Structures are given as structure tokens and as C-alpha cells.
Amino acid sequence: MPDTVSTQDNAGLLVLAVDDEAPGLSLIKFTLESSPHVKRVLTAFDAAEALRILRGGDDDEVIERTNAGLPPVDAVFADINMPGLTGMDLARVLSAFRHPPALVFVTGVEERDALVAAFDVGALDFINKPINDERVLKAVKRVAERVARTHATTPQTPVHAAAAAAEPSDDEVIPVELGGTIKLVPRASVRYVEAQGDYARLHTSDGSHLVRIPLAQLEERWANAGFVRIHRSYLVALPLVSELRMTANGYAVVIGTGPDAKELPVSRRHTKELKERIVRPPKSGW
């Protein structure tokens, strides 16, 4: 399949790779540079050096981008397990940036627990070590797609492209552990979410996945992506609601159609808001 992603001006991405091990840093740098989307790769041996670079350092391009109100780099590919400040610590700092770059974690197998927690800090993607060229290039393409959407809102962009960029992106992924491996579940594939104590179960068309994230946290995080709370136990993807029907116990929604349709209860406290959301004319933002 041809790769049709274009970056903001076809100049390519500025990427920062962070790893405290020289062989790993060299390998990720080499692989990133092999992508047609990447213009230049900066490197740092730890999170402290990465922050120095991101805050201007002595790199003219980073300084110019920051002064222009852009992220200092387009993406940071960071190892999680580093001495001193960890990749997770770095991620928390990045999340406080006015214009944060995309974040991709590069992790070892023993760091699966950290992978799940990394969802909280907004990581765009995850790559397991030893790294695979194809997996790295796929992550780079996702970064390029995000950058293209972001730059679609600039004044030079046609109005229809800007409107598309204002809609919630479906590129967020949730890492789940499945049979000893990490599977990345796209948010766009989630039909509804079910509360299970302090955990949440993501229901997709091909199964379900338990994640260590409370339902209330997902409700807040996904509010602008078309998900709405219908019950203390359920969060649903509103665009997939095909029916709102009366039952003997009150209202219920039907998710999907045909043999895969699923009926879920709507609590009394959420009924009014749900009705309003269903009949409201569509707007960008949900």
C-alpha cells in the first residue's frame, strides 16, 4: 500500500530519541532516519539531557520552533527505564508543555506494568524491545499523521481540512496485556466500556480487554471523542448508538446493529442528557 501521509510542509519531522544505552540509542536513531517522514533525529542519553534540548539548548531549529509557538520537536521516542529521571518522569514534564510533542515509548518486556500506566500520560504509541524496523516506521507514520492534522488548522489550510482536524482523532491507543504480550487497542475500535471495580473492560467488535483505568477517568478523557456515560457501569461510543428504547425497567440503548448489537441499560439520572445528545444536531468536537 502506498504511503500517502504528508507532513506540514514536506520538510519532514524533527524527532528526539532518548535512551541511556548507546547501542539502543544508535539503533533507534538509525531506524528513525530510514523513514521518509523524518528529516532529522536529535539524541539524548537521559531525560535530563532531553529536557535541556527541548527547552532550547543550543539547537537553532528547536529554538526557532518554540518561538513560533510549535512543539520543540514533533516527537520524542523515549526509553522508560532510565536512571535518574525515567521516561515516565519525562512524559509528565512533556504533558505540562504548552505545545507538547507526540510521545512514543520504547520499552523492555519487563516494563509491561509501566506500559499500562503510560496511558495516563498520553503516549501516542509503544514499541517493545528489541525494536523492529517495521514497528518503528509504523509509529513514525502515526506521528506524521498527527502532525499533518495539527497543521491543517493553520490559515493556509482550506476550511474543510481545518474542520476535519478539529474533530477528535482516533489515533489514541490503549495498551493491554494479552497472553504475555502487549496489544495496542485503538480507541476507535471501542464500542463501549464497562466498569469493573477500579478497572475498566473495553468492549470491541472482536472481544474485550481489561485495563487498569477507572471508568470515571475514561469518561473525562474521552468526553470530546464521542463517549458518553449512560450508567454508573457503562460508557458508550455515542456514534454507535442505533436505538434508545423503553424497557420494563426504564430506558436502554442498543449499540450497533444486526447479530453484534448489544443492549445496555440507561440509568434514570443519565436519561435526559442522553436524549439531548442523541437529538442534538452533530457538532465538531464529539
Side-chain angles (χ1 to χ4, degrees):
M1 180 182 295
D3 193 342
T4 58
V5 175
S6 62
T7 55
Q8 65 272 31
D9 56 3
N10 295 320
L13 302 172
L14 178 62
V15 179
L16 172 62
V18 191
D19 196 321
D20 63 302
E21 297 180 352
L25 186 60
S26 296
L27 181 57
I28 189 71
K29 181 177 186 292
F30 176 81
T31 308
L32 288 168
E33 288 175 337
S34 70
S35 168
H37 299 301
V38 174
K39 173 183 66 174
R40 184 168 164 235
V41 180
L42 306 175
T43 59
F45 280 106
D46 56 34
E49 184 182 1
L51 288 173
R52 184 187 66 78
I53 293 172
L54 293 170
R55 286 169 173 157
D58 54 3
D59 189 277
D60 291 340
E61 186 172 2
V62 172
I63 295 171
E64 183 180 344
R65 288 169 59 101
T66 303
N67 291 339
L70 297 171
V73 297
D74 291 300
V76 175
F77 283 67
D79 188 13
I80 285 185
N81 188 16
M82 295 186 288
L85 289 175
T86 66
M88 200 69 67
D89 294 328
L90 175 61
R92 294 188 183 98
V93 176
L94 291 181
S95 67
F97 276 36
R98 182 177 179 84
H99 302 287
L103 173 65
V104 177
F105 277 127
V106 184
T107 70
V109 174
E110 71 278 4
E111 295 150 2
R112 290 195 183 104
D113 287 345
L115 259 180
V116 177
F119 171 75
D120 256 353
V121 293
L124 176 64
D125 210 341
F126 308 84
I127 300 170
N128 284 325
K129 290 182 177 181
I131 66 169
N132 173 280
D133 288 2
E134 182 179 353
R135 186 68 189 84
V136 174
L137 296 179
K138 181 178 179 181
V140 172
K141 183 179 177 182
R142 296 187 66 211
V143 171
E145 289 170 343
R146 170 177 283 189
V147 170
R149 281 195 299 273
T150 301
H151 284 269
T153 59
T154 57
Q156 294 76 20
T157 303
V159 173
H160 69 275
E167 297 176 356
S169 78
D170 289 328
D171 61 5
E172 186 168 1
V173 294
I174 305 92
V176 298
E177 188 167 358
L178 197 65
T181 62
I182 295 296
K183 179 178 180 179
L184 301 177
V185 178
R187 182 182 61 198
S189 71
V190 178
R191 303 171 72 210
Y192 66 96
V193 187
E194 181 180 4
Q196 294 193 347
D198 292 332
Y199 290 69
R201 184 169 292 279
L202 310 177
H203 292 267
T204 67
S205 58
D206 61 355
S208 67
H209 311 280
L210 192 65
V211 294
R212 236 178 308 183
I213 305 165
L215 189 67
Q217 183 176 324
L218 283 179
E219 177 186 8
E220 180 180 353
R221 187 181 182 102
W222 290 359
N224 293 327
F227 283 80
V228 60
R229 189 75 166 261
I230 63 165
H231 188 277
R232 66 181 181 181
S233 298
Y234 295 106
L235 184 69
V236 303
L238 193 60
L240 299 182
V241 173
S242 57
E243 291 183 37
L244 174 63
R245 61 170 63 150
M246 281 289 294
T247 70
N249 299 315
Y251 280 94
V253 296
V254 177
I255 306 294
T257 58
D260 293 329
K262 176 71 175 180
E263 183 176 296
L264 300 172
V266 180
S267 66
R268 193 170 298 173
R269 63 174 293 203
H270 293 291
T271 299
K272 181 180 178 182
E273 180 186 358
L274 180 61
K275 284 182 178 180
E276 291 175 350
R277 293 289 297 270
I278 288 176
V279 301
R280 183 191 307 164
K283 296 179 182 179
S284 62
W286 68 268

